[in-house]
Amino acid sequence: MNALTDSQRSTADFFISYTQPDRKWAEWIATTLEGDGYSTLMQAWDFSPGSNFIIEMQKATAGARHTIAVLSPDYLYSAYAASEWAAAFALDPTSGQRRLIPVRVRACQ
C-alpha cells in the first residue's frame, strides 16, 4: 500500500482499474496480490492528490505488465474505465501476454 515512484510504476506487475463503487474490491485484489509478492498500482494508493489524473492513468496502463479490470455495471458505464482497459487491450489484442485480466465482482454483461 505504499506509493510507487515513477520508475516502479513502469515495472509494476498489476495496474488495478476500477470505479469508486468497487474500490473495496480493488483494494482486496491489490492486497491479495501484494501479499503474494506482486507489485500493484491503483489510483487510491498511488496517485498524488492534485496530480493530472489522465496522465497518471496513461502512465499506469502503459507501464504495468498487466491491467486488472474490476468489472461491474458501474465499471462498464464509467467514462474513464473504457480508456483504461482499451489501452491494455491495444498492447495485447490477442491476449497472448494476458495484459488485460477482467475480474467480475458483480453481475454484468
Side-chain angles (χ1 to χ4, degrees):
M1 291 192 335
N2 297 328
L4 299 178
T5 66
D6 281 343
S7 63
Q8 289 170 316
R9 285 180 193 189
S10 65
T11 60
D13 294 309
F14 295 95
F15 169 58
I16 313 297
S17 175
Y18 67 98
T19 56
Q20 191 59 34
D22 300 317
R23 179 176 170 171
K24 294 292 183 193
W25 280 111
E27 290 176 341
W28 178 81
I29 291 167
T31 300
T32 300
L33 288 168
E34 288 183 1
D36 285 341
Y38 295 100
S39 59
T40 64
L41 175 61
M42 59 181 283
Q43 178 186 355
W45 296 348
D46 300 300
F47 293 8
S48 300
S51 64
N52 185 317
F53 172 79
I54 301 301
I55 291 173
E56 294 296 324
M57 285 297 178
Q58 190 279 328
K59 287 180 189 176
T61 56
R65 291 182 184 96
H66 308 278
T67 294
I68 293 179
V70 182
L71 290 180
S72 70
D74 292 302
Y75 186 85
L76 294 175
Y77 292 115
S78 167
Y80 295 107
S83 62
E84 294 171 22
W85 69 257
F89 179 78
L91 293 170
D92 183 25
T94 63
S95 195
Q97 299 172 351
R98 303 261 326 187
R99 292 289 302 239
L100 178 61
I101 303 169
V103 176
R104 189 175 68 176
V105 297
R106 289 190 280 143
C108 55
Q109 293 186 21

